[in-house]
Amino acid sequence: MADNKHDRDEVKRNGVVDITRRTFLHKSLLAGGAVATGSSVGFFQTLSSMEVANAAMGESFSFAWVSDTHLYPRELNQRFIDKATRAFSEVQAMGDKFDFMIFGGDLAQLGDPVEIELGAELLKEVTITKHFIPGEHDWYLDLGESWNKHFGETPWTFDHKGVRIIGVDSVGRAPDYWSARGMTDHERMGHMSALDGSQAGPWSGLGKEQREWLSSTLSDWPKDAPVIIFSHTPFWECYAPWNFWIRDWREVHEIIAPWQNVTNIHGHVHQPLYNEIGGMRSIGMLATSWPWPYAPEGVPEITKPMLRVDPGDHFDGVGWGNMNMSAEAHVDHQYMMWREQVFGYGRADSGTGDNVNQKLSPRIADRGWTGD
Ligand SMILES: [Fe+2]
Ligand SMILES: [Fe+2]
């Protein structure tokens, strides 16, 4: 209870939810004493935390992340359109600050070309450079045809102010579970749109061909220079039954292990999520549509779980990301959460008690994956 009071006071004092003292100490040790600070931007209330990288770099820059808008056709749902519109307007309003925007997938809900075209129309609000990676909801009606037509193919890479930036497709390389079952396109999409759909199995992964591409893309990059990898799903095993992972994360980590400063930024989980494995940090971003609950197996101890949302406010617990790569090689991320007011705080969210932290789920999804 005393700890809860401390956190409530901290919220009151700063107007933001900061990282816990335990996490702060952990980060400080990693950073050699760097100081973590809370902050708020304009009228936004934000959750903020600081992640510290080791490699030296040059010029600082900022970029925006928006993902998981889950748009339905306009006549079916206006609410998700309103929230996507708000995110794009806010990014545009801060456009001078950002070098580019990433759209991190799940633009559509059921992969309908009407939904993807609606998303493309709404995205016109943002006039800075945009880069795109697909989510599973964008892909499995027509296997990426509409997505690629509007937003181009993935993976891609470019270098920006001393950082190698990579976008991968972690959704479109699923093992084919539909052909032998004779599913229609809509049946396939229906299974992909369910969080724990048993038919789709371990659909998230990079696959052999893309892993080889990643390896060759990194091969000429200095081992101490920063790398940012954008993916729809996380580069570690958080919770396989919901595909909060990539099934080949072990193989991917073998590839990226020599690089000392890799930041993976991902969507799909619709919640703040943070982990570190070797030289890789992994940051889970908010959705604009809705927040998922935390996985029943828990989250890493260094994740600061989000607060439960106000069920009466559909703008609560969602938002977008304001990211900064500093000249000191720090990656800051701010959750631009549309939260009006914090009424209370519980230390342990669903499934996040300390006694279950860091316990990985049994790799049941591996049963359906044969190693492609
Ligand atoms: Fe999503
Ligand atoms: Fe997703």
Side-chain angles (χ1 to χ4, degrees), residues 68 70 106 267-272 285-287 289-292 306 317:
D68 297 280
H70 290 270
D106 284 354
H268 186 62
V269 296
H270 299 206
Q271 60 194 225
M285 304 303 293
L286 296 174
S289 52
W290 70 81
W292 283 125
M306 72 185 291

Side-chain angles (χ1 to χ4, degrees), residues 187-202:
E187 284 169 341
R188 178 179 60 212
M189 183 68 246
H191 286 297
M192 293 305 291
S193 67
L195 185 61
D196 57 355
S198 57
Q199 297 290 312

